[in-house]
Amino acid sequence: MMNLRERLLKIYDEKDTESILPSLQEKLMEAGKKSLRKRKQDWDQDDVVLITYADQFQKDGQPALTALEKMYEQYFKDKFGVVHLLPFYPYSSDDGFSVIDYQKVNPIAGDWGDVENLSKKTSIMFDFVCNHISAKSDWFTEYLNGNPDFNHFFTEMDTEIDLSAVTRPRATPVLTKFRLEDGTERYIWTTFSEDQIDLNFSNPLVLLKMIDVLLFYLEKGAEYIRLDAVGFMWKEPGTSCIHLEKTHQIVKLFRDIVEEAAKGTVIITETNVPQKDNISYFGNGSDEAHMVYQFPLPPLVLYSINRGDGSALTEWARNLKVPGDKTTFFNFLASHDGIGLNPIRGIIPEEEILALVKSLKNEGALVNYKKNPDGTESPYEVNVTYMDALNKQLDDDELRVKRFLAAHSILLTLPGVPAVYIQSMLGSRNDYEGVRRTGMNRSINREKYTLEEITVELHEGGSLRNKIFTGLTDIIKVRKEEALFHPSADMEVLDLGSRAFAFKRLNSSDEVLTIIHNLADETLDCRLSGSFQNLLTGEMIEITEKITLDPYQFVWLKTIN
């Protein structure tokens, strides 16, 4: 681990560093005395993540986490060894991402005992909402009331200062006016909304408070820590205020801390940005994030299947690499947020992105926009379930299933750790009633269920939910049993024509797995020869010249030597 003093000096001046160093050293010493759970030291093909809300399922008279635990035991345990619990703390908006108290459990979900019960059955990823806190939090309330202990906890800004260079992920203003208890008015930095107040990490006391939160999560059993919206943590007017060097140094400090206090804990950075900036959070491969979100994947897979053309996906995949075997990608297709568009800017021409957005809107998707430096707005996120994004409203369920499983075959076979969102696992469609109820576009993909209703629907033979759940179950199980799907196994991208997305996974034992996806609604002939085992069917097959794939068919073929 880097010397703590050296790390702090990369963030603060010497005076501020010396002011907090003894306290930080003491915190780590105390953490070392606690018997924290032994963490897994690496990842393998068995690691597949389920992304879900803690209150995703309800049963009368029970905490929602108890209902989730029952669903996990009955439906998910054999598929997912890690559960990403989206923020389960008390909150005031954004379905959990406006945290009122970092160290409490939302009573609807349960209490820390319920979290612990789930953590005995699976590894848990905690959300560390480190960039901002709720306007209803005690911290911000104390600040508004003039409590000197909370001076400079938030970024006050003169409205005359030029902030035109600041990267805006939303169309809302960067500053929000608040009235303090003494009647004075202040403009405070709010990157995402007026209810999400950015923390001022230039104040070293804020860093200390957030390190307390991080150590608390480790004590409560977090084996994965997701750093939400981490790219925005450091502010310097006159710059973009995203991905600044001191933000990277804070992430590195967080890694230093988890490796000292709970070695094996995985740090994951959530940065919904173009690939170059996203992978910068790997650092040198051993000093920053262990995993970064693979943000280009969701829109790229959608774009490719929408067009029946895998050329862009193939070209992008050729350039995928991580800095060493101690880092990997966190792959996903759907999440609690929409499908981000910024990560494919620079990969896909802007006019084609806008055409994709238009076609999705015509089929019922909703769109959120961001403010550009020149005052114009651009779409930054499509709000839709991944099921409805891949399909048209008039498509039949047979076609929906084919496209959906083909997309998830890509997710499960690329290098990295795959994560499946709960709505995808359940085969969910757009929840327009949720949007009407909350007024939020993102609610379209955040439907909650009672245990009774969802179990009935999952068992309904021939239903879309049943077909998707069964189909995903089958391919996830195959992935978990094959060593060539280890996140670090090599990949060699193949060129089998524009309608295909194909690659090989290889290891040092000269084993080879050939994966081919037909992305089009017509049959596809691909050049291939050899003896193979089809992992998806168990069949041994001999191919002499070519293989023919039906529309949206995919094959996982292991070479027999």
Side-chain angles (χ1 to χ4, degrees), residues 359-419:
S359 69
L360 292 170
K361 284 182 68 175
N362 288 341
E363 293 296 332
L366 307 176
V367 181
N368 282 330
Y369 294 83
K370 69 181 181 73
K371 184 78 73 176
N372 299 318
D374 63 1
T376 62
E377 292 186 353
S378 297
Y380 78 84
E381 176 185 86
V382 181
N383 301 111
V384 60
T385 64
Y386 213 75
M387 173 72 70
D388 283 323
L390 286 170
N391 297 285
K392 300 183 184 300
Q393 293 177 350
L394 296 179
D395 288 338
D396 60 37
D397 282 354
E398 182 180 357
L399 190 55
R400 287 191 176 93
V401 171
K402 287 179 179 179
R403 288 193 182 119
F404 197 75
L405 293 181
H408 283 78
S409 170
I410 296 172
L411 168 68
L412 291 165
T413 55
L414 282 172
V417 171

Side-chain angles (χ1 to χ4, degrees), residues 90 147 344 447 560:
N147 184 339
I344 56 170
E447 188 174 0
I560 301 172

Side-chain angles (χ1 to χ4, degrees), residues 83-199:
V83 173
H84 170 201
L85 284 183
L86 292 157
F88 51 86
Y89 326 110
Y91 69 93
S92 53
S93 64
D94 198 17
D95 283 336
F97 284 90
S98 296
V99 179
I100 291 175
D101 191 324
Y102 291 111
Q103 294 179 294
K104 291 183 179 178
V105 177
N106 185 345
I108 294 172
D111 57 28
W112 284 112
D114 297 305
V115 175
E116 182 180 2
N117 288 339
L118 183 61
S119 73
K120 291 175 181 176
K121 296 178 169 63
T122 180
S123 298
I124 296 183
M125 183 190 301
F126 281 35
D127 245 298
F128 187 17
V129 187
C130 51
N131 178 71
H132 49 265
I133 195 169
S134 169
K136 309 299 189 299
S137 66
D138 286 347
W139 293 11
F140 193 61
T141 299
E142 290 300 313
Y143 163 81
L144 293 177
N145 289 340
N147 184 339
D149 290 343
F150 290 86
N151 278 349
H152 309 299
F153 258 57
F154 308 96
T155 302
E156 303 172 0
M157 194 64 54
D158 189 324
T159 57
E160 297 300 313
I161 293 176
D162 182 8
L163 299 178
S164 60
V166 174
T167 295
R168 297 298 301 125
R170 301 287 186 270
T172 54
V174 67
L175 302 178
T176 300
K177 183 171 67 175
F178 290 93
R179 184 180 297 276
L180 277 62
E181 182 67 23
D182 65 6
T184 61
E185 293 180 342
R186 303 278 171 80
Y187 285 85
I188 309 297
W189 202 292
T190 53
T191 295
F192 293 99
S193 80
E194 62 184 12
D195 188 43
Q196 294 167 301
I197 315 298
D198 286 49
L199 294 161

Side-chain angles (χ1 to χ4, degrees), residues 315-373:
E315 186 59 31
W316 167 80
R318 288 189 200 283
N319 300 310
L320 281 182
K321 58 183 178 179
V322 295
D325 60 1
K326 298 301 181 185
T327 59
T328 196
F329 289 110
F330 186 79
N331 295 327
F332 74 109
L333 291 179
S335 74
H336 61 289
D337 288 340
I339 300 169
L341 300 171
N342 290 343
I344 56 170
R345 289 191 158 104
I347 300 175
I348 304 298
E350 185 67 17
E351 61 270 19
E352 293 182 16
I353 294 175
L354 295 177
L356 175 65
V357 171
K358 182 179 180 180
S359 69
L360 292 170
K361 284 182 68 175
N362 288 341
E363 293 296 332
L366 307 176
V367 181
N368 282 330
Y369 294 83
K370 69 181 181 73
K371 184 78 73 176
N372 299 318

Side-chain angles (χ1 to χ4, degrees), residues 196-365:
Q196 294 167 301
I197 315 298
D198 286 49
L199 294 161
N200 179 19
F201 279 91
S202 67
N203 178 355
L205 295 180
V206 170
L207 179 67
L208 273 185
K209 290 278 273 188
M210 296 307 280
I211 287 171
D212 282 340
V213 175
L214 176 59
L215 291 171
F216 179 78
Y217 290 167
L218 297 178
E219 184 180 346
K220 290 299 183 182
E223 297 184 49
Y224 295 72
I225 298 288
R226 175 186 182 271
L227 303 180
D228 176 66
V230 66
F232 296 93
M233 281 199 300
W234 198 271
K235 280 77 174 171
E236 289 181 13
T239 74
S240 65
C241 295
I242 187 171
H243 315 312
L244 300 186
E245 176 57 27
K246 291 189 178 184
T247 291
H248 283 283
Q249 291 299 331
I250 292 173
V251 176
K252 291 177 181 182
L253 176 62
F254 288 162
R255 173 153 175 172
D256 291 341
I257 288 169
V258 300
E259 294 201 344
E260 181 75 9
K263 191 170 179 61
T265 303
V266 176
I267 294 285
I268 303 178
T269 50
E270 186 263 342
T271 50
N272 191 351
V273 293
Q275 184 86 334
K276 177 177 175 290
D277 296 316
N278 194 31
I279 62 175
S280 71
Y281 287 86
F282 280 135
N284 66 15
S286 62
D287 67 343
E288 203 163 343
H290 299 89
M291 296 184 192
V292 302
Y293 269 69
Q294 187 66 282
F295 272 106
L297 188 62
L300 258 182
V301 170
L302 173 59
Y303 169 85
S304 301
I305 292 178
N306 183 280
R307 293 169 63 93
D309 187 330
S311 303
L313 188 58
T314 296
E315 186 59 31
W316 167 80
R318 288 189 200 283
N319 300 310
L320 281 182
K321 58 183 178 179
V322 295
D325 60 1
K326 298 301 181 185
T327 59
T328 196
F329 289 110
F330 186 79
N331 295 327
F332 74 109
L333 291 179
S335 74
H336 61 289
D337 288 340
I339 300 169
L341 300 171
N342 290 343
I344 56 170
R345 289 191 158 104
I347 300 175
I348 304 298
E350 185 67 17
E351 61 270 19
E352 293 182 16
I353 294 175
L354 295 177
L356 175 65
V357 171
K358 182 179 180 180
S359 69
L360 292 170
K361 284 182 68 175
N362 288 341
E363 293 296 332

